[in-house]
Amino acid sequence: MRNTEVSLSKWSVSSRIFHWISAVLLLVTWSMILLYENLDNGFYIGLHKAFGISLLCWMIARVINRLLTKAPPSVPMPKWQALLAHLTHFGLYALLIAMPIAGLLMSVYGGRPVDIFGLFEIPVFVTPDRSLARFYNDLHTGIIWPAIITFTLAHIGAALYHQFIKKDNLIARMK
Ligand code: HEM
Ligand code: HEM
């Protein structure tokens, strides 16, 4: 039987598409790093950059979509959990936007233009500066990336907790 309670409180179709494609783009961008590190092949770092910039554009569109569409009412949960969920979600948005910007700045301050799938190139729009390139490199790999891993694991852990312990069918809202 169709449960109207659940279907009524689903995320909008656009929000669901934005959510899952962001997750896939994150996975693909990261996989390119694994291929690059294991095969020592410059081709994959090029793809890493192009997918990372794609994720940046996707996240900007996602934020606009989030502001234009209505979020479903929260499922009942203690106040501290609702607050933690909001903070984690906000953190993920901020991190997934800051990460590719740091990557882009690392590249251009290093004097390297960024090729986007052979379609066009983002030119070096700043005066190259080794120490700034190093700073954004450290930010990209040493600070924002560990934060993305932490927030994503917390997020997936919370989703699994709702699914298997609370059994409140939360994941169905995003499916
Ligand atoms: C959300 C998008 C992105 C994610 C999740 C991401 C993730 C990562 C990760 C996990 C690493 C390896 C870190 C390590 O060595 O431990 C890395 C390295 C790197 N990323 Fe990204 N990245 C993103 C976007 C970008 C963009 C847009 C660019 C450039 C236009 C870029 C350029 C690089 C470069 C050049 C490296 C190698 C740095 C080095 O070997 O020191 N990344 N990235
Ligand atoms: C197995 C993987 C995942 C599952 C099961 C999952 C599940 C969910 C669910 C059920 C919600 C809605 C929560 C609610 O209705 O209150 C949600 C929201 C969200 N998820 Fe995920 N998610 C996953 C992966 C990811 C990944 C990889 C990211 C990004 C790194 C992400 C970012 C977000 C964000 C930012 C929101 C908040 C949406 C908003 O407020 O606009 N999720 N996720």
Side-chain angles (χ1 to χ4, degrees), residues 10 13-14 21 28 30 34-36 39 66 85 93 112 116-117 121 135 146 151 158 168-169 171 173 175:
K10 267 189 146 194
V13 178
S14 58
I21 293 191
V28 172
W30 175 51
L34 296 182
L35 288 172
Y36 164 66
L39 304 175
R66 179 68 163 86
Y93 275 112
R112 286 181 298 274
I116 307 294
F117 303 117
E121 210 175 61
F135 168 76
F151 276 64
D168 58 6
N169 217 7
I171 294 180
R173 287 154 57 89
K175 271 207 292 211

PDB file of all heavy atoms in Angstrom, residues 10 13-14 21 28 30 34-36 39 66 85 93 112 116-117 121 135 146 151 158 168-169 171 173 175:
ATOM      1  N   LYS A  10       8.755  13.561   0.961  1.00  0.00           N
ATOM      2  CA  LYS A  10       9.983  13.301   0.192  1.00  0.00           C
ATOM      3  C   LYS A  10      10.642  14.606  -0.225  1.00  0.00           C
ATOM      4  O   LYS A  10       9.982  15.637  -0.344  1.00  0.00           O
ATOM      5  CB  LYS A  10       9.617  12.520  -1.078  1.00  0.00           C
ATOM      6  CG  LYS A  10       9.731  11.017  -0.907  1.00  0.00           C
ATOM      7  CD  LYS A  10       9.566  10.325  -2.228  1.00  0.00           C
ATOM      8  CE  LYS A  10      10.421   9.127  -2.255  1.00  0.00           C
ATOM      9  NZ  LYS A  10      10.711   8.446  -3.403  1.00  0.00           N
ATOM     10  N   VAL A  13      12.077  16.150  -6.563  1.00  0.00           N
ATOM     11  CA  VAL A  13      12.829  15.335  -7.538  1.00  0.00           C
ATOM     12  C   VAL A  13      14.176  16.005  -7.826  1.00  0.00           C
ATOM     13  O   VAL A  13      15.223  15.352  -7.844  1.00  0.00           O
ATOM     14  CB  VAL A  13      12.042  15.185  -8.859  1.00  0.00           C
ATOM     15  CG1 VAL A  13      12.846  14.375  -9.871  1.00  0.00           C
ATOM     16  CG2 VAL A  13      10.709  14.521  -8.611  1.00  0.00           C
ATOM     17  N   SER A  14      14.171  17.320  -8.011  1.00  0.00           N
ATOM     18  CA  SER A  14      15.426  18.003  -8.341  1.00  0.00           C
ATOM     19  C   SER A  14      16.428  17.849  -7.200  1.00  0.00           C
ATOM     20  O   SER A  14      17.594  17.553  -7.434  1.00  0.00           O
ATOM     21  CB  SER A  14      15.178  19.478  -8.668  1.00  0.00           C
ATOM     22  OG  SER A  14      14.557  20.123  -7.576  1.00  0.00           O
ATOM     23  N   ILE A  21      23.728  12.761  -7.685  1.00  0.00           N
ATOM     24  CA  ILE A  21      24.787  13.040  -8.669  1.00  0.00           C
ATOM     25  C   ILE A  21      25.985  13.691  -7.978  1.00  0.00           C
ATOM     26  O   ILE A  21      27.133  13.424  -8.330  1.00  0.00           O
ATOM     27  CB  ILE A  21      24.238  13.821  -9.879  1.00  0.00           C
ATOM     28  CG1 ILE A  21      23.291  12.874 -10.621  1.00  0.00           C
ATOM     29  CG2 ILE A  21      25.361  14.324 -10.797  1.00  0.00           C
ATOM     30  CD1 ILE A  21      22.821  13.299 -11.978  1.00  0.00           C
ATOM     31  N   VAL A  28      33.731   9.800  -8.166  1.00  0.00           N
ATOM     32  CA  VAL A  28      34.526   9.757  -9.405  1.00  0.00           C
ATOM     33  C   VAL A  28      35.775  10.643  -9.259  1.00  0.00           C
ATOM     34  O   VAL A  28      36.888  10.231  -9.612  1.00  0.00           O
ATOM     35  CB  VAL A  28      33.664  10.204 -10.620  1.00  0.00           C
ATOM     36  CG1 VAL A  28      34.521  10.361 -11.860  1.00  0.00           C
ATOM     37  CG2 VAL A  28      32.543   9.198 -10.871  1.00  0.00           C
ATOM     38  N   TRP A  30      37.364  11.445  -6.599  1.00  0.00           N
ATOM     39  CA  TRP A  30      38.303  10.767  -5.697  1.00  0.00           C
ATOM     40  C   TRP A  30      38.948   9.555  -6.393  1.00  0.00           C
ATOM     41  O   TRP A  30      40.153   9.330  -6.273  1.00  0.00           O
ATOM     42  CB  TRP A  30      37.554  10.344  -4.426  1.00  0.00           C
ATOM     43  CG  TRP A  30      38.371   9.539  -3.465  1.00  0.00           C
ATOM     44  CD1 TRP A  30      39.609   9.860  -2.976  1.00  0.00           C
ATOM     45  CD2 TRP A  30      38.019   8.285  -2.878  1.00  0.00           C
ATOM     46  NE1 TRP A  30      40.036   8.871  -2.111  1.00  0.00           N
ATOM     47  CE2 TRP A  30      39.078   7.909  -2.034  1.00  0.00           C
ATOM     48  CE3 TRP A  30      36.894   7.452  -2.980  1.00  0.00           C
ATOM     49  CZ2 TRP A  30      39.057   6.719  -1.299  1.00  0.00           C
ATOM     50  CZ3 TRP A  30      36.880   6.283  -2.240  1.00  0.00           C
ATOM     51  CH2 TRP A  30      37.947   5.921  -1.415  1.00  0.00           C
ATOM     52  N   LEU A  34      42.904   8.107  -6.955  1.00  0.00           N
ATOM     53  CA  LEU A  34      43.428   6.760  -6.685  1.00  0.00           C
ATOM     54  C   LEU A  34      44.144   6.226  -7.919  1.00  0.00           C
ATOM     55  O   LEU A  34      45.236   5.652  -7.824  1.00  0.00           O
ATOM     56  CB  LEU A  34      42.287   5.806  -6.274  1.00  0.00           C
ATOM     57  CG  LEU A  34      41.580   6.156  -4.957  1.00  0.00           C
ATOM     58  CD1 LEU A  34      40.506   5.126  -4.633  1.00  0.00           C
ATOM     59  CD2 LEU A  34      42.594   6.238  -3.808  1.00  0.00           C
ATOM     60  N   LEU A  35      43.537   6.438  -9.111  1.00  0.00           N
ATOM     61  CA  LEU A  35      44.169   5.968 -10.356  1.00  0.00           C
ATOM     62  C   LEU A  35      45.491   6.704 -10.584  1.00  0.00           C
ATOM     63  O   LEU A  35      46.510   6.103 -10.940  1.00  0.00           O
ATOM     64  CB  LEU A  35      43.233   6.196 -11.545  1.00  0.00           C
ATOM     65  CG  LEU A  35      42.013   5.274 -11.603  1.00  0.00           C
ATOM     66  CD1 LEU A  35      41.052   5.711 -12.704  1.00  0.00           C
ATOM     67  CD2 LEU A  35      42.449   3.828 -11.851  1.00  0.00           C
ATOM     68  N   TYR A  36      45.465   8.012 -10.349  1.00  0.00           N
ATOM     69  CA  TYR A  36      46.663   8.842 -10.533  1.00  0.00           C
ATOM     70  C   TYR A  36      47.781   8.371  -9.608  1.00  0.00           C
ATOM     71  O   TYR A  36      48.928   8.214 -10.029  1.00  0.00           O
ATOM     72  CB  TYR A  36      46.286  10.299 -10.251  1.00  0.00           C
ATOM     73  CG  TYR A  36      47.444  11.244 -10.022  1.00  0.00           C
ATOM     74  CD1 TYR A  36      48.339  11.537 -11.047  1.00  0.00           C
ATOM     75  CD2 TYR A  36      47.615  11.870  -8.781  1.00  0.00           C
ATOM     76  CE1 TYR A  36      49.381  12.431 -10.835  1.00  0.00           C
ATOM     77  CE2 TYR A  36      48.654  12.759  -8.568  1.00  0.00           C
ATOM     78  CZ  TYR A  36      49.537  13.026  -9.596  1.00  0.00           C
ATOM     79  OH  TYR A  36      50.563  13.904  -9.383  1.00  0.00           O
ATOM     80  N   LEU A  39      48.745   4.552 -10.693  1.00  0.00           N
ATOM     81  CA  LEU A  39      49.286   4.310 -12.029  1.00  0.00           C
ATOM     82  C   LEU A  39      50.311   5.366 -12.424  1.00  0.00           C
ATOM     83  O   LEU A  39      50.914   5.268 -13.477  1.00  0.00           O
ATOM     84  CB  LEU A  39      48.152   4.283 -13.068  1.00  0.00           C
ATOM     85  CG  LEU A  39      47.041   3.268 -12.786  1.00  0.00           C
ATOM     86  CD1 LEU A  39      45.925   3.412 -13.811  1.00  0.00           C
ATOM     87  CD2 LEU A  39      47.599   1.845 -12.817  1.00  0.00           C
ATOM     88  N   ARG A  66      18.359  24.484  -3.842  1.00  0.00           N
ATOM     89  CA  ARG A  66      17.976  24.354  -2.421  1.00  0.00           C
ATOM     90  C   ARG A  66      17.245  25.602  -1.939  1.00  0.00           C
ATOM     91  O   ARG A  66      16.301  25.524  -1.159  1.00  0.00           O
ATOM     92  CB  ARG A  66      19.236  24.106  -1.594  1.00  0.00           C
ATOM     93  CG  ARG A  66      19.006  23.963  -0.108  1.00  0.00           C
ATOM     94  CD  ARG A  66      18.232  22.674   0.169  1.00  0.00           C
ATOM     95  NE  ARG A  66      18.328  22.274   1.563  1.00  0.00           N
ATOM     96  CZ  ARG A  66      17.527  22.720   2.526  1.00  0.00           C
ATOM     97  NH1 ARG A  66      16.580  23.586   2.232  1.00  0.00           N
ATOM     98  NH2 ARG A  66      17.694  22.304   3.761  1.00  0.00           N
ATOM     99  N   ALA A  85      22.449  17.364  12.513  1.00  0.00           N
ATOM    100  CA  ALA A  85      22.159  17.043  11.106  1.00  0.00           C
ATOM    101  C   ALA A  85      22.283  18.312  10.261  1.00  0.00           C
ATOM    102  O   ALA A  85      22.920  18.299   9.206  1.00  0.00           O
ATOM    103  CB  ALA A  85      20.761  16.444  10.983  1.00  0.00           C
ATOM    104  N   TYR A  93      27.912  21.051   2.274  1.00  0.00           N
ATOM    105  CA  TYR A  93      27.777  22.035   1.192  1.00  0.00           C
ATOM    106  C   TYR A  93      29.035  22.914   1.121  1.00  0.00           C
ATOM    107  O   TYR A  93      29.619  23.096   0.057  1.00  0.00           O
ATOM    108  CB  TYR A  93      26.571  22.959   1.442  1.00  0.00           C
ATOM    109  CG  TYR A  93      25.235  22.416   0.969  1.00  0.00           C
ATOM    110  CD1 TYR A  93      24.237  22.065   1.872  1.00  0.00           C
ATOM    111  CD2 TYR A  93      24.965  22.286  -0.382  1.00  0.00           C
ATOM    112  CE1 TYR A  93      23.002  21.587   1.441  1.00  0.00           C
ATOM    113  CE2 TYR A  93      23.731  21.815  -0.825  1.00  0.00           C
ATOM    114  CZ  TYR A  93      22.764  21.469   0.093  1.00  0.00           C
ATOM    115  OH  TYR A  93      21.555  21.000  -0.337  1.00  0.00           O
ATOM    116  N   ARG A 112      49.622  26.717 -13.655  1.00  0.00           N
ATOM    117  CA  ARG A 112      49.085  25.709 -14.581  1.00  0.00           C
ATOM    118  C   ARG A 112      47.623  25.992 -14.923  1.00  0.00           C
ATOM    119  O   ARG A 112      46.763  26.025 -14.030  1.00  0.00           O
ATOM    120  CB  ARG A 112      49.199  24.313 -13.948  1.00  0.00           C
ATOM    121  CG  ARG A 112      50.629  23.775 -13.922  1.00  0.00           C
ATOM    122  CD  ARG A 112      50.677  22.390 -13.303  1.00  0.00           C
ATOM    123  NE  ARG A 112      50.238  22.418 -11.914  1.00  0.00           N
ATOM    124  CZ  ARG A 112      51.029  22.698 -10.884  1.00  0.00           C
ATOM    125  NH1 ARG A 112      52.308  22.948 -11.084  1.00  0.00           N
ATOM    126  NH2 ARG A 112      50.547  22.705  -9.664  1.00  0.00           N
ATOM    127  N   ILE A 116      39.470  21.394 -19.210  1.00  0.00           N
ATOM    128  CA  ILE A 116      38.192  20.767 -18.853  1.00  0.00           C
ATOM    129  C   ILE A 116      37.789  19.806 -19.976  1.00  0.00           C
ATOM    130  O   ILE A 116      37.172  20.204 -20.975  1.00  0.00           O
ATOM    131  CB  ILE A 116      37.088  21.829 -18.588  1.00  0.00           C
ATOM    132  CG1 ILE A 116      37.560  22.856 -17.546  1.00  0.00           C
ATOM    133  CG2 ILE A 116      35.778  21.170 -18.136  1.00  0.00           C
ATOM    134  CD1 ILE A 116      37.781  22.343 -16.141  1.00  0.00           C
ATOM    135  N   PHE A 117      38.135  18.547 -19.800  1.00  0.00           N
ATOM    136  CA  PHE A 117      37.807  17.464 -20.745  1.00  0.00           C
ATOM    137  C   PHE A 117      38.177  17.821 -22.183  1.00  0.00           C
ATOM    138  O   PHE A 117      37.471  17.400 -23.121  1.00  0.00           O
ATOM    139  CB  PHE A 117      36.301  17.116 -20.681  1.00  0.00           C
ATOM    140  CG  PHE A 117      35.820  16.723 -19.302  1.00  0.00           C
ATOM    141  CD1 PHE A 117      34.863  17.482 -18.630  1.00  0.00           C
ATOM    142  CD2 PHE A 117      36.312  15.583 -18.669  1.00  0.00           C
ATOM    143  CE1 PHE A 117      34.408  17.116 -17.362  1.00  0.00           C
ATOM    144  CE2 PHE A 117      35.863  15.208 -17.395  1.00  0.00           C
ATOM    145  CZ  PHE A 117      34.923  15.974 -16.750  1.00  0.00           C
ATOM    146  N   GLU A 121      39.696  25.631 -21.573  1.00  0.00           N
ATOM    147  CA  GLU A 121      40.725  25.695 -20.561  1.00  0.00           C
ATOM    148  C   GLU A 121      40.440  26.876 -19.637  1.00  0.00           C
ATOM    149  O   GLU A 121      40.039  27.940 -20.100  1.00  0.00           O
ATOM    150  CB  GLU A 121      42.054  25.921 -21.277  1.00  0.00           C
ATOM    151  CG  GLU A 121      43.237  25.330 -20.557  1.00  0.00           C
ATOM    152  CD  GLU A 121      44.496  25.490 -21.401  1.00  0.00           C
ATOM    153  OE1 GLU A 121      44.873  26.640 -21.700  1.00  0.00           O
ATOM    154  OE2 GLU A 121      45.097  24.461 -21.758  1.00  0.00           O
ATOM    155  N   PHE A 135      50.136  26.918  -0.143  1.00  0.00           N
ATOM    156  CA  PHE A 135      49.093  27.121   0.863  1.00  0.00           C
ATOM    157  C   PHE A 135      47.794  26.413   0.434  1.00  0.00           C
ATOM    158  O   PHE A 135      47.189  25.670   1.208  1.00  0.00           O
ATOM    159  CB  PHE A 135      48.845  28.632   1.056  1.00  0.00           C
ATOM    160  CG  PHE A 135      47.607  28.939   1.844  1.00  0.00           C
ATOM    161  CD1 PHE A 135      47.593  28.785   3.231  1.00  0.00           C
ATOM    162  CD2 PHE A 135      46.438  29.356   1.205  1.00  0.00           C
ATOM    163  CE1 PHE A 135      46.436  29.049   3.966  1.00  0.00           C
ATOM    164  CE2 PHE A 135      45.282  29.620   1.937  1.00  0.00           C
ATOM    165  CZ  PHE A 135      45.279  29.465   3.316  1.00  0.00           C
ATOM    166  N   PRO A 146      40.444  15.789   4.705  1.00  0.00           N
ATOM    167  CA  PRO A 146      40.092  15.022   5.920  1.00  0.00           C
ATOM    168  C   PRO A 146      38.723  15.438   6.481  1.00  0.00           C
ATOM    169  O   PRO A 146      37.978  14.590   6.984  1.00  0.00           O
ATOM    170  CB  PRO A 146      41.203  15.374   6.920  1.00  0.00           C
ATOM    171  CG  PRO A 146      42.342  15.851   6.084  1.00  0.00           C
ATOM    172  CD  PRO A 146      41.760  16.452   4.841  1.00  0.00           C
ATOM    173  N   PHE A 151      32.994  14.315   7.646  1.00  0.00           N
ATOM    174  CA  PHE A 151      31.576  14.690   7.536  1.00  0.00           C
ATOM    175  C   PHE A 151      30.786  13.651   6.741  1.00  0.00           C
ATOM    176  O   PHE A 151      29.648  13.343   7.066  1.00  0.00           O
ATOM    177  CB  PHE A 151      31.443  16.075   6.874  1.00  0.00           C
ATOM    178  CG  PHE A 151      31.596  17.210   7.850  1.00  0.00           C
ATOM    179  CD1 PHE A 151      32.796  17.422   8.512  1.00  0.00           C
ATOM    180  CD2 PHE A 151      30.543  18.072   8.125  1.00  0.00           C
ATOM    181  CE1 PHE A 151      32.942  18.472   9.421  1.00  0.00           C
ATOM    182  CE2 PHE A 151      30.672  19.119   9.030  1.00  0.00           C
ATOM    183  CZ  PHE A 151      31.879  19.321   9.675  1.00  0.00           C
ATOM    184  N   ALA A 158      24.895   8.295  10.062  1.00  0.00           N
ATOM    185  CA  ALA A 158      23.596   8.746  10.574  1.00  0.00           C
ATOM    186  C   ALA A 158      22.461   8.151   9.730  1.00  0.00           C
ATOM    187  O   ALA A 158      21.435   7.721  10.270  1.00  0.00           O
ATOM    188  CB  ALA A 158      23.533  10.269  10.553  1.00  0.00           C
ATOM    189  N   ASP A 168      13.093   4.570  10.792  1.00  0.00           N
ATOM    190  CA  ASP A 168      12.073   5.582  10.493  1.00  0.00           C
ATOM    191  C   ASP A 168      11.971   5.899   9.002  1.00  0.00           C
ATOM    192  O   ASP A 168      11.332   6.881   8.611  1.00  0.00           O
ATOM    193  CB  ASP A 168      12.332   6.863  11.303  1.00  0.00           C
ATOM    194  CG  ASP A 168      13.722   7.455  11.026  1.00  0.00           C
ATOM    195  OD1 ASP A 168      14.414   6.943  10.132  1.00  0.00           O
ATOM    196  OD2 ASP A 168      14.110   8.414  11.711  1.00  0.00           O
ATOM    197  N   ASN A 169      12.620   5.060   8.173  1.00  0.00           N
ATOM    198  CA  ASN A 169      12.479   5.184   6.725  1.00  0.00           C
ATOM    199  C   ASN A 169      12.983   6.527   6.171  1.00  0.00           C
ATOM    200  O   ASN A 169      12.494   7.016   5.160  1.00  0.00           O
ATOM    201  CB  ASN A 169      10.997   5.001   6.335  1.00  0.00           C
ATOM    202  CG  ASN A 169      10.879   4.243   5.024  1.00  0.00           C
ATOM    203  OD1 ASN A 169      11.890   3.753   4.506  1.00  0.00           O
ATOM    204  ND2 ASN A 169       9.687   4.154   4.482  1.00  0.00           N
ATOM    205  N   ILE A 171      15.800   7.301   4.700  1.00  0.00           N
ATOM    206  CA  ILE A 171      16.479   7.263   3.392  1.00  0.00           C
ATOM    207  C   ILE A 171      15.459   7.350   2.249  1.00  0.00           C
ATOM    208  O   ILE A 171      15.738   7.933   1.205  1.00  0.00           O
ATOM    209  CB  ILE A 171      17.395   6.015   3.279  1.00  0.00           C
ATOM    210  CG1 ILE A 171      18.554   6.143   4.284  1.00  0.00           C
ATOM    211  CG2 ILE A 171      17.968   5.869   1.868  1.00  0.00           C
ATOM    212  CD1 ILE A 171      19.531   4.984   4.283  1.00  0.00           C
ATOM    213  N   ARG A 173      13.112   9.259   1.932  1.00  0.00           N
ATOM    214  CA  ARG A 173      12.842  10.661   1.591  1.00  0.00           C
ATOM    215  C   ARG A 173      13.779  11.163   0.492  1.00  0.00           C
ATOM    216  O   ARG A 173      13.473  12.115  -0.213  1.00  0.00           O
ATOM    217  CB  ARG A 173      13.054  11.550   2.835  1.00  0.00           C
ATOM    218  CG  ARG A 173      11.977  11.424   3.866  1.00  0.00           C
ATOM    219  CD  ARG A 173      12.502  11.758   5.256  1.00  0.00           C
ATOM    220  NE  ARG A 173      13.102  13.074   5.412  1.00  0.00           N
ATOM    221  CZ  ARG A 173      12.423  14.178   5.740  1.00  0.00           C
ATOM    222  NH1 ARG A 173      11.132  14.113   5.944  1.00  0.00           N
ATOM    223  NH2 ARG A 173      13.037  15.321   5.893  1.00  0.00           N
ATOM    224  N   LYS A 175      15.254   8.965  -1.804  1.00  0.00           N
ATOM    225  CA  LYS A 175      15.363   7.982  -2.903  1.00  0.00           C
ATOM    226  C   LYS A 175      14.566   8.402  -4.129  1.00  0.00           C
ATOM    227  O   LYS A 175      13.505   8.982  -3.994  1.00  0.00           O
ATOM    228  CB  LYS A 175      14.893   6.616  -2.428  1.00  0.00           C
ATOM    229  CG  LYS A 175      16.025   5.810  -1.830  1.00  0.00           C
ATOM    230  CD  LYS A 175      15.834   4.289  -1.941  1.00  0.00           C
ATOM    231  CE  LYS A 175      14.707   3.793  -1.080  1.00  0.00           C
ATOM    232  NZ  LYS A 175      14.827   2.457  -0.553  1.00  0.00           N
TER     233      LYS A 175
END
